[in-house]
């Protein structure tokens, strides 16, 4: 794969596009030179709280996060060049010239930033693939090469069209033009995605063929070659994961409070044991289950996108919605422990007489406020929360606890301290039917008013009022065939335990009877 595939792709453009590309190519510089500029653009977006809103205001693209991802992909591109000995500094100069043009003015070209992030990621992904199979030669590699050329052609078409679109626009073009740009360039977005999918198919065939070749010639591979290959594979895998959204200095806040005073403030907001609720839900999860949900493309899209949005897990009672949300929540907690993302904020609603507060929207939102007060366990209380408490304290708490609207306003203020806020709420339908609209309205208001990235994951049954409020949101419907594997695993585990502890027929169960019991239970489960 020694040819310059970008030049081969450029040669396939029509004369008008080639002419535009030549003009773009007058811009010079290495991808690594763009990193500082991208970081500067990110800080500008953070300071000005820039966001692009679509879908009637429900869907907000947070530009600060878009630039975080662009910076990450450029860094991966540079790392791949450092890893591979055949790195050519001039490689992919054509598309990087287009990227450099669109990065010149965030406000003027803001409408193109989401597409630009996809372009940079696709360029990085393709570059790593080229380096992985640079010295390979086979029929499968030749097909991969042709597919990469088609992918590069789709990228160049996008950049050329974007350049011409903005060159003809007035100087005062601003964020409001996102709908016009999105509509005009939807065709190019779809073309890039379709071609990427085709390239992934070719890559799978090459990988399968290469695996056989490597296995048969393993001893002839040098340690250096093997190490380089593995590092490139790791970089490729990193591109499919959510970016690290922990920022430097995020945990360096100080409130000058002692431990007792801090706990007093936190407990005034809410004393509900939200961690206990999670522990209860997660303790019932069988290891290895729930993968169909956590690996679903919609979950991946929800976690990795720069859109502030709601993902709704919906389904009948008894289908394991709470367990699935607890699995995702635990993954988010693990990410925080590994300093990959800020800690998630969560609540498990329930309707029972022993814990009436768990069914009240005002209590749910108060617990969310309490969790947002600090950026880490035992950490300082953020200024908006501390100020709210002190105002109440000065009045001897005569105004009582926070109302729903007060909690919403405080939540909007507190999420601005985080590059990402992930909110997980289980069993919305367990809130009182007469008041749960307050919680649904609150979630919409938080999304609409926040300038930082917010990801909200909720679960519920298909109650009519909930459907009305969440209609149009990204959603996953649990069906009986989704969790069939999980149910089979659960049934086998539980039957084995009951036989081992002699709770089933005093342990006197033949192999045939055991097989029949497991088979019957699995067949009759119907997803529950």
């Amino acid at each position: 794969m020694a040819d310059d595939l970008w030049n081969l792709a450029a040669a396939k453009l029509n004369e008008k596009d080639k002419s535009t590309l030549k003009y773009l190519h007058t811009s010079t510089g290495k991808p690594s030179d763009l990193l500082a500029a991208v970081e500067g653009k990110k800080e500008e977006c953070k300071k000005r709280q820039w966001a692009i809103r679509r879908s009637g205001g429900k869907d907000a693209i947070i530009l600060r996060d878009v630039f975080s991802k662009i910076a990450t992909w450029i860094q991966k591109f540079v790392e791949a060049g450092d890893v591979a000995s055949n790195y050519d500094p001039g490689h992919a100069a054509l598309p990087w010239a287009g990227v450099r043009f669109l990065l010149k003015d965030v406000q003027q070209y803001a409408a193109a930033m989401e597409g630009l992030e996809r372009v940079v990621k696709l360029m990085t992904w393709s570059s790593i693939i080229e380096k992985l199979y640079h010295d390979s030669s086979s029929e499968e590699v030749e097909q991969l090469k042709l597919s990469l050329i088609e992918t590069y052609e789709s990228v160049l078409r996008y950049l050329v069209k974007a350049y011409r679109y903005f060159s003809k626009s007035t100087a005062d073009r601003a964020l409001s033009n996102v709908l016009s740009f999105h509509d005009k360039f939807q065709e190019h977005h779809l073309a890039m995605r379709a071609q990427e999918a085709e390239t992934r198919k070719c890559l799978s065939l090459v990988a399968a063929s290469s695996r056989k070749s490597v296995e048969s010639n393993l001893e002839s591979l040098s340690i250096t070659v093997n190490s380089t290959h593995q590092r490139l594979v790791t970089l490729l895998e990193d591109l499919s994961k959510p970016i690290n959204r922990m920022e430097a200095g995020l945990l360096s806040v100080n409130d000058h409070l002692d431990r007792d005073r801090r706990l007093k403030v936190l407990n005034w907001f809410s004393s509900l044991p939200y961690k206990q609720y999670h522990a209860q839900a997660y303790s019932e999860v069988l290891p290895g289950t729930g993968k169909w949900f956590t690996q679903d493309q919609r979950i991946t899209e929800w976690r990795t996108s720069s859109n502030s949005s709601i993902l709704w897990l919906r389904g009948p009672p008894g289908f394991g919605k709470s367990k699935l949300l607890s699995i995702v929540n635990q993954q988010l907690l693990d990410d925080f422990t590994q300093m990959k993302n800020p800690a998630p904020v969560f609540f498990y609603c329930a309707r029972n007489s022993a814990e009436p507060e768990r069914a009240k929207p005002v209590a749910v939102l108060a617990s969310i406020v309490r969790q947002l007060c600090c950026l880490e366990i035992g950490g300082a209380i953020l200024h908006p929360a501390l100020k709210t408490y002190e105002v109440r304290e000065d009045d001897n708490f005569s105004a009582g606890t926070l109302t729903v609207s007060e909690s919403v306003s405080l939540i909007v203020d507190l999420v601005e301290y985080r590059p990402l806020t992930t909110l997980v709420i289980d069993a919305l339908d367990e809130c009182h039917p007469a008041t749960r609209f307050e919680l649904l309205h609150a979630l919409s208001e938080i999304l609409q008013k926040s300038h930082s990235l917010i990801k909200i994951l909720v679960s519920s049954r298909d109650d009519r009022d909930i459907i009305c409020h969440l209609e149009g949101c990204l959603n996953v419907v649990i069906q009986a065939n989704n969790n069939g594997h999980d149910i089979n695993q659960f049934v086998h585990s539980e039957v084995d335990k009951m036989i081992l502890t002699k709770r089933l027929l005093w342990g006197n169960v033949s192999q045939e009877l055991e097989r029949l019991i497991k088979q019957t239970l699995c067949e009759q489960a119907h997803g529950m």
Side-chain angles (χ1 to χ4, degrees), residues 261-443:
R261 173 70 171 168
R262 189 176 292 129
L263 287 175
K264 183 179 180 181
V265 174
L266 292 175
N267 284 328
W268 178 80
F269 284 109
S270 175
S271 59
L272 293 179
Y274 61 94
K275 290 184 180 179
Q276 178 181 315
Y277 305 153
H278 169 67
Q280 289 171 344
Y282 191 66
S283 67
E284 300 173 356
V285 171
L286 192 66
T289 57
K291 290 182 178 179
W292 73 267
F293 181 61
T294 58
Q295 296 174 0
D296 188 280
Q297 183 178 357
R298 288 160 292 188
I299 279 280
T300 302
E301 177 184 342
W302 173 75
R303 289 195 65 182
T304 59
S305 76
S306 296
N307 295 35
S308 287
S309 58
I310 295 177
L311 175 63
W312 176 24
L313 174 64
R314 53 196 294 197
F319 269 48
K321 297 185 295 295
S322 295
K323 291 183 177 63
L324 291 172
L325 252 67
S326 74
I327 293 172
V328 174
N329 196 37
Q330 187 59 48
Q331 290 180 345
L332 296 169
L333 288 167
D334 292 341
D335 282 349
F336 174 64
T337 301
Q338 298 167 24
M339 298 297 289
K340 294 180 180 179
N341 285 310
V345 179
F346 51 91
F347 196 88
Y348 293 78
C349 303
R351 198 185 308 173
N352 64 69
S353 57
E355 299 174 302
E357 298 299 305
R358 294 178 68 179
K360 297 178 181 179
V362 67
V364 175
L365 291 168
S367 178
I368 291 171
V369 169
R370 185 230 165 95
Q371 295 175 61
L372 288 171
C373 282
C374 305
L375 296 172
E376 62 176 333
I377 299 172
I381 296 176
L382 299 175
H383 176 70
L386 186 57
K387 181 180 178 181
T388 298
Y389 176 83
E390 290 175 343
V391 169
R392 284 293 220 277
E393 185 181 42
D394 290 343
D395 195 32
N396 201 28
F397 303 106
S398 61
T401 55
L402 295 178
T403 64
V404 167
S405 61
E406 287 173 330
S407 288
V408 169
S409 296
L410 193 49
I411 289 169
V412 170
D413 289 340
L414 292 171
V415 298
E416 298 305 322
Y417 287 80
R418 300 166 176 236
L420 166 69
T421 300
T422 307
L423 177 55
V424 180
I425 302 180
D426 178 53
L428 278 174
D429 52 285
E430 290 291 305
C431 283
H432 290 301
T435 58
R436 65 185 174 208
F437 73 92
E438 295 177 342
L439 183 54
L440 290 163
H441 277 301
L443 296 179

Side-chain angles (χ1 to χ4, degrees), residues 420-490:
L420 166 69
T421 300
T422 307
L423 177 55
V424 180
I425 302 180
D426 178 53
L428 278 174
D429 52 285
E430 290 291 305
C431 283
H432 290 301
T435 58
R436 65 185 174 208
F437 73 92
E438 295 177 342
L439 183 54
L440 290 163
H441 277 301
L443 296 179
S444 296
E445 189 175 348
I446 291 166
L447 277 180
Q448 291 170 5
K449 291 185 175 180
S450 174
H451 299 288
S452 289
L453 186 61
I454 298 183
K455 304 286 186 180
I456 301 178
L457 174 61
V458 299
S459 71
S460 77
R461 304 177 188 181
D462 279 337
D463 290 357
R464 185 171 299 178
D465 60 322
I466 297 177
I467 293 175
C468 180
H469 278 88
L470 298 182
E471 188 176 16
C473 293
L474 187 66
N475 66 90
V476 178
V477 181
I478 303 182
Q479 299 175 339
N481 61 330
N482 291 136
N483 55 3
H485 174 75
D486 291 351
I487 289 174
N488 288 348
Q489 190 173 340
F490 176 77

Side-chain angles (χ1 to χ4, degrees), residues 34 48 61 90 98 128 141 145 175 232 262 295 301 305 343 507:
L34 287 174
R48 301 196 182 194
I61 303 168
I128 296 173
V141 170
K145 171 183 171 181
L175 303 179
L232 288 172
R262 189 176 292 129
Q295 296 174 0
E301 177 184 342
S305 76

Side-chain angles (χ1 to χ4, degrees), residues 64-79:
R64 166 189 178 183
D65 192 70
V66 171
F67 278 100
S68 290
K69 290 198 286 189
I70 291 175
T72 300
W73 309 147
I74 293 176
Q75 184 61 49
K76 297 295 182 186
F77 184 95
V78 174
E79 286 179 29

